[in-house]
Amino acid sequence: MESLIGTYECKVDAKGRLMMPAALKKQLSPILQEGFVLRRSVFQKCLELYPLKEWQVLMQKVNKLNRFKKKNNDFIRRFTAGVKMVEVDMNGRLLIPKDLTVFASISKDIVVASAINIVEIWDKALYEQAISDAALDFADLAEEVMGQDEDYGVS
């Protein structure tokens, strides 16, 4: 799957349904019928929406872990905690399960942001705080992550 593009401000209705932004829905249109996996983020208080094929690739890696090692079992349990299969309905809405809404502190105003091959779903205030916090050291982070000697095709 190619990289997804865009950050969108949206609203969640009282039932926890998110109307998928038209531009994002268009990018996902080839795979909408396959479904998605929604899970808690490991590092942030947000949700991650995986196209089913992307989730299966990730699960192939996780499945290689030796389950007779306690730390691997603990990781698998935590990593898959709260994981849900979700679909975009005929009206272009995605239902966010209540337990995941609570985990991510999702209220009415949210941000849906592309993260290469997945989509992050954030409460708007938490997203703005995360971006603001990250802005303080983003230049140093960018240099450390992308400033290696390898040619990344950036001039």
Side-chain angles (χ1 to χ4, degrees):
M1 182 173 133
E2 294 183 29
S3 297
L4 299 168
I5 298 171
T7 301
Y8 310 92
E9 291 187 13
C10 307
K11 295 197 182 298
V12 174
D13 69 15
K15 295 181 180 178
R17 295 177 299 196
L18 152 70
M19 178 64 75
M20 290 293 281
L24 186 58
K25 196 166 114 179
K26 184 176 180 182
Q27 292 176 65
L28 293 169
S29 65
I31 58 169
L32 279 177
Q33 300 305 316
E34 296 171 15
F36 299 88
V37 172
L38 189 61
R39 68 171 306 277
R40 303 170 185 179
S41 175
V42 171
F43 300 108
Q44 300 290 338
K45 197 169 180 175
C46 71
L47 303 176
E48 297 172 342
L49 182 69
Y50 288 78
L52 187 55
K53 284 185 181 177
E54 295 294 328
W55 179 255
Q56 290 169 338
V57 168
L58 183 58
M59 286 298 95
Q60 286 175 352
K61 293 177 185 176
V62 171
N63 199 34
K64 291 178 182 175
L65 295 173
N66 181 346
R67 298 210 47 157
F68 286 98
K69 291 186 178 180
K70 184 181 181 319
K71 69 179 179 180
N72 291 354
N73 246 355
D74 291 346
F75 169 79
I76 293 167
R77 185 177 310 106
R78 287 177 149 164
F79 187 77
T80 58
V83 170
K84 303 281 192 298
M85 290 285 303
V86 294
E87 295 178 354
V88 175
D89 70 14
M90 298 297 268
N91 295 319
R93 298 174 303 190
L94 179 84
L95 177 64
I96 302 172
K98 186 72 174 162
D99 62 323
L100 294 179
T101 300
V102 171
F103 167 81
S105 299
I106 290 176
S107 57
K108 185 174 184 176
D109 296 316
I110 64 169
V111 172
V112 176
S114 60
I116 305 176
N117 60 344
I118 67 169
V119 175
E120 293 180 339
I121 301 172
W122 289 81
D123 177 78
K124 184 179 178 191
L126 291 176
Y127 178 78
E128 289 174 354
Q129 183 64 48
I131 294 299
S132 177
D133 290 349
L136 300 175
D137 59 354
F138 185 67
D140 292 338
L141 179 63
E143 181 178 9
E144 184 178 332
V145 172
M146 298 298 289
Q148 306 302 319
D149 291 336
E150 295 92 13
D151 181 14
Y152 287 102
V154 178
S155 300

